[in-house]
């Protein structure tokens, strides 16, 4: 199952995200994409391949676009505010059952 969701950061940005889940999850992973200024997005081929393999092995995977990428609001902050993006993803992942 794949859900398209949005994450909210503590500084008011909204991040585009996907929650990929197997039928019976055994764990959860937050997967962060490669550097956005070098073409990294949550839909990069590496991200899709890793997500597919993790889901096949029973893991729910939360991946998201950092601020300023895809439909995520905000702009690239050279790694400073992006910490808030990761925190929003980890917070959501920790607050849900692995099955969503």
């Amino acid at each position: 199952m794949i859900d398209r969701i949005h994450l909210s950061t503590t500084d008011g940005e909204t991040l585009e995200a996907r929650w990929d889940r197997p039928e019976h999850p055994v764990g959860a992973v937050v997967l962060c994409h490669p550097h956005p200024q070098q073409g990294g997005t949550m839909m990069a081929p590496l991200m899709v391949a890793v997500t597919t393999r993790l889901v096949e092995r029973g893991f729910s995977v939360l991946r998201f676009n950092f601020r300023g990428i895809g439909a995520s609001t905000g702009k690239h902050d050279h790694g400073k505010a992006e910490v808030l993006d990761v925190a929003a993803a980890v917070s959501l992942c920790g607050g849900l059952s692995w099955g969503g």
Side-chain angles (χ1 to χ4, degrees):
M1 174 184 288
I2 301 170
D3 292 318
R4 295 178 189 277
I5 61 174
H6 292 92
L7 306 175
S8 297
T9 65
T10 57
D11 65 343
E13 300 300 345
T14 300
L15 309 177
E16 173 184 26
R18 289 175 57 122
W19 188 235
D20 295 69
R21 301 180 318 236
E23 187 173 340
H24 302 288
V26 298
V29 174
V30 173
L31 195 57
C32 300
H33 65 73
H35 199 291
Q37 290 188 324
Q38 296 176 5
T41 74
M42 71 176 180
M43 297 306 293
L46 174 64
M47 296 292 291
V48 173
V50 171
T51 296
T52 299
R53 297 305 177 266
L54 286 168
V55 171
E56 287 173 354
R57 287 163 177 77
F59 291 91
S60 291
V61 179
L62 178 63
R63 56 189 157 125
F64 63 94
N65 277 328
F66 281 100
R67 58 187 62 221
I69 304 301
S72 293
T73 63
K75 63 179 184 169
H76 179 70
D77 193 35
H78 305 283
K80 297 173 190 159
E82 285 79 4
V83 171
L84 301 175
D85 300 351
V86 175
V90 169
S91 177
L92 179 75
C93 190
L96 295 174
S97 69
W98 292 333

